[in-house]
Amino acid sequence: MGQFQLLSDISLCQMFHAEHLLASAPVAGESSESGPLPMILFILFGGITAGAGFSVAIAKNIVRAAVGLLFALAGMSGLYLLLNAEFIAAVQLVVYVGGTLILIVFGVMLTSKSPRTTYAPKRGEVIWACIVTLLVGAPVMAILVSTFNKIAPPEIAATLPATAIAATSPATSGDSRAAIGMLGQQYPMQSMGRALIDPAGFLVPFELVSVLLLAVMIGAAYLAKGRRAKSQPGGAA
Amino acid sequence: VTIGLTHFLVVSVLLLMAGILTIALKRNAIGILMGVELILNAATLNLIAFNRYRPPSASGGLLDGQAFTLFVIVIAAAEAAVALAIFLNFYNNTQSIDVEKGTELKG
């Protein structure tokens, strides 16, 4: 176990390489290669997400933009599944696609006189928008890719943990299972729930978010019906 | 063929650029809200990807990135609710959802 405690002292770069060693160790007897399927799924979901995102940007009709947003959010859910965040993928589908997007679509329907109203931006606006986007996006892309290309070992397949768990969990002690960490996490949802009610974890933000949701519920209801209640008292309740 | 951290970061940056472009190009207030949602999703994809590829060190929880993402999703939903309520008021006042018409606060 000493080697894992040493991990906290060495640099980030070495730690990522150490993770690679750690990850490949449990599956030494089996093939860690799971075929081309993860890459195919990544290209599928990533392409859907990025393409739908840009279709939101260039759509002239707001309803088409909403449909593009639907595909972008659903593709994000697939990417979360590839990253072994099953719970977050489900929450993304339920809250974002099922809740926030429906809210936005209702907003579109309530605020447009005709669903076919379109707005084509002027050529100068398009040029300026593209310049700003490239000014922000290109440096971020360059920095992220150049930095994490070096320290992220490409050998970690996105589907590794399932095989790693199956290979190690019956025999290994709880100690090394904790050391394997999320790579060998058996019940991520359990630890997620524990982290949310752990005072040393996320208990305070969890409670604050519940207060925030209450405030938002009251505030949104007040904002949305305030004017109508004033004009016709008693009829809006 | 394996997927590295960089692949997800590239998708995330593309989403960020799409969001900025959306915010810059739309005059419909709800379109701008869609751009904000895209940018928030880019951020959460980063969080999840780093959480997945993080070193299993002792400090910090194993699912910190996923917990952050949960809070981001909740706050995005709250933000959308408040923003749409404001937009409905705006539409009631100006009979339009065009942000160029929102000049009431101009001194």
Side-chain angles (χ1 to χ4, degrees), chain A residues 183-218:
Chain A
L183 294 169
Q185 200 72 38
Q186 269 194 308
Y187 302 108
M189 277 183 63
Q190 277 190 3
S191 41
M192 168 75 82
R194 290 213 183 87
L196 284 181
I197 58 168
D198 182 11
F202 293 93
L203 179 63
V204 174
F206 185 70
E207 297 296 335
L208 282 181
V209 153
S210 57
V211 175
L212 173 82
L213 281 181
L214 181 66
V216 162
M217 199 170 69
I218 297 172

Side-chain angles (χ1 to χ4, degrees), chain A residues 119 125, chain B residues 22-33 87 90 94 96-104 106:
Chain A
Y119 166 69
E125 290 173 349
Chain B
T22 306
I23 291 178
L25 285 180
K26 299 284 184 219
R27 272 172 65 180
N28 190 324
I30 295 175
I32 293 175
L33 182 64
F87 293 159
F90 180 69
T94 64
S96 164
I97 196 66
D98 188 348
V99 289
E100 302 276 324
K101 299 272 169 56
T103 55
E104 224 173 279
K106 200 183 273 182

Side-chain angles (χ1 to χ4, degrees), chain A residues 2-237:
Chain A
Q3 53 172 330
F4 301 121
Q5 284 149 11
L6 275 179
L7 281 181
S8 57
D9 294 326
I10 55 182
S11 71
L12 185 70
C13 176
Q14 288 164 317
M15 286 162 82
F16 270 92
H17 283 295
E19 185 202 17
H20 157 51
L21 293 177
L22 203 61
S24 58
V27 287
E30 313 202 346
S31 69
S32 64
E33 197 65 42
S34 50
L37 186 60
M39 198 60 183
I40 292 173
L41 286 178
F42 172 78
I43 292 173
L44 179 69
F45 288 131
I48 286 177
T49 305
F54 278 101
S55 84
V56 173
I58 63 176
K60 292 186 174 63
N61 188 327
I62 191 69
V63 180
R64 291 205 178 151
V67 174
L69 191 65
L70 165 71
F71 279 101
L73 296 177
M76 285 289 294
S77 174
L79 289 179
Y80 290 159
L81 280 180
L82 282 179
L83 285 164
N84 292 88
E86 296 88 359
F87 180 59
I88 304 292
V91 167
Q92 169 90 3
L93 277 184
V94 170
V95 176
Y96 245 120
V97 182
T100 307
L101 191 66
I102 298 299
L103 204 63
I104 286 177
V105 170
F106 267 100
V108 168
M109 291 192 293
L110 284 173
T111 57
S112 66
K113 286 166 182 146
S114 155
R116 286 174 193 81
T117 49
T118 60
Y119 166 69
K122 291 191 273 293
R123 183 172 293 273
E125 290 173 349
V126 174
I127 290 171
W128 271 112
C130 288
I131 288 174
V132 169
T133 303
L134 286 178
L135 273 184
V136 175
V140 173
M141 173 94 80
I143 291 171
L144 283 181
V145 169
S146 65
T147 306
F148 293 103
N149 219 6
K150 287 180 205 145
I151 65 177
E155 285 85 3
I156 295 186
T159 54
L160 180 65
T163 58
I165 296 166
T168 58
S169 58
T172 49
S173 65
D175 216 17
S176 70
R177 202 177 300 157
I180 290 171
M182 68 164 302
L183 294 169
Q185 200 72 38
Q186 269 194 308
Y187 302 108
M189 277 183 63
Q190 277 190 3
S191 41
M192 168 75 82
R194 290 213 183 87
L196 284 181
I197 58 168
D198 182 11
F202 293 93
L203 179 63
V204 174
F206 185 70
E207 297 296 335
L208 282 181
V209 153
S210 57
V211 175
L212 173 82
L213 281 181
L214 181 66
V216 162
M217 199 170 69
I218 297 172
Y222 173 76
L223 274 177
K225 68 173 276 192
R227 178 160 291 268
R228 204 174 304 143
K230 200 186 293 176
S231 63
Q232 39 175 311

